[in-house]
Amino acid sequence: MLLLVAACATAPETGRSQLILFSEAEDQELGLTAFRQVLSEARLVRDPRVVARVRRIGWRIARVTPRTDWDWEFVVIDDDEPNAWALPGGKVGVHRGIFKVARTDGQLAAVIAHEVAHAVARHGVEKVSRELLLGLGLAALGAATGDEDLTAGAAVAGLLLVSLPFSREQEREADHIGLLYMARAGFDPREAIRLWENFRRLEGDDLPAFLSTHPPKEERLLRLRALMPRALEEYRRARIGS
Ligand SMILES: [Zn+2]
């Protein structure tokens, strides 16, 4: 666990180079540890119709990613805040509050595809790697060098994983990759635009935490619109194929 090996990785679809200090096996372990931690503190929605809907949409998207080998899991958290997240290795959570803005299957697919894209592009371990390289997390990790303290090192990395925000560049990339994934899975990519418009209407109210990291700015919609012709092409192809 946490043998720090600097390695260059490449993000899917965009081809962006990434500096990641973790092996893919370590990603999985970190994600699973953080997932268990989150689940131990959260209450799950048990309504089988709600859970089945999220899983059905989640699976359709997971199937078109290059990570069909991952042990994907989709859970619904009983929380009124419109939020969603994904952890390395394919553990995805959707908060009940997201249904206020994601009103159709296509809009829910846009949320899930964005989160799936963060996971597949290894954004979580990339942001932890950056933090460790900056030295901030490294000090904490350095305090946990003994054999018996390796789990402490993993705990620090796990904490960074859930607490650090994604960079703006990672958010743009998740929008880009997510749009293509939802289209490839047979969901109308124009629903992503409608989703962000729904989010915008929330802005007047108390700003949910999700929106502080995912501002539905005009710039975001412009980028999605610029990608739309390609996404619509993928969508048409998916519909012909199905
Ligand atoms: Zn995001």
Side-chain angles (χ1 to χ4, degrees):
M1 193 70 198
L2 293 177
L3 295 171
L4 298 183
V5 183
C8 261
T10 309
E13 308 297 335
T14 64
R16 182 176 62 88
S17 312
Q18 302 170 287
L19 187 63
I20 292 179
L21 299 174
F22 300 87
S23 70
E24 297 209 9
E26 287 167 333
D27 279 26
Q28 303 265 343
E29 254 181 275
L30 270 181
L32 194 59
T33 306
F35 188 55
R36 290 202 182 111
Q37 183 63 33
V38 171
L39 289 191
S40 72
E41 291 161 8
R43 215 170 40 174
L44 293 181
V45 170
R46 303 276 179 198
D47 183 337
R49 283 165 308 174
V50 175
V51 175
R53 178 175 174 232
V54 168
R55 277 198 193 137
R56 176 171 48 78
I57 294 171
W59 269 106
R60 267 176 70 178
I61 292 161
R63 261 206 313 265
V64 302
T65 72
R67 304 324 307 252
T68 47
D69 56 318
W70 278 0
D71 189 14
W72 289 93
E73 248 182 278
F74 300 89
V75 295
V76 187
I77 310 285
D78 190 8
D79 187 324
D80 201 35
E81 179 103 350
N83 200 4
W85 42 264
L87 292 164
K91 309 299 181 196
V92 183
V94 169
H95 289 207
R96 185 170 44 72
I98 204 81
F99 301 126
K100 284 186 282 190
V101 273
R103 300 197 188 115
T104 63
D105 278 5
Q107 289 164 20
L108 192 53
V111 171
I112 294 174
H114 174 95
E115 296 304 328
V116 161
H118 275 311
V120 172
R122 303 179 72 196
H123 286 168
V125 284
E126 186 185 21
K127 70 184 178 179
V128 172
S129 300
R130 189 187 307 126
E131 198 72 5
L132 293 176
L133 286 170
L134 287 174
L136 215 72
L138 206 56
L141 210 61
T145 42
D147 272 358
E148 71 282 358
D149 283 333
L150 274 180
T151 42
V156 169
L159 192 69
L160 290 172
L161 194 63
V162 290
S163 62
L164 289 174
F166 290 121
S167 72
R168 211 172 269 216
E169 187 178 34
Q170 289 178 324
E171 290 302 344
R172 279 201 284 264
E173 191 167 74
D175 277 351
H176 178 141
I177 299 170
L179 192 73
L180 298 178
Y181 284 174
M182 76 179 283
R184 240 169 253 172
F187 294 101
D188 187 338
R190 288 166 292 199
E191 287 284 77
I193 306 264
R194 286 176 208 128
L195 168 82
W196 292 110
E197 283 168 354
N198 292 347
F199 261 121
R200 270 175 137 179
R201 278 181 217 121
L202 275 189
E203 266 191 308
D205 307 340
D206 268 333
L207 198 70
F210 187 73
L211 281 188
S212 65
T213 50
H214 296 84
K217 297 257 164 67
E218 194 56 46
E219 184 230 351
R220 173 167 227 150
L221 296 177
L222 283 174
R223 281 172 186 277
L224 285 175
R225 287 202 181 94
L227 272 169
M228 203 51 76
R230 199 181 143 201
L232 281 170
E233 186 50 44
E234 299 254 9
Y235 174 55
R236 278 186 205 111
R237 222 175 296 154
R239 289 183 34 117
I240 293 165
S242 68

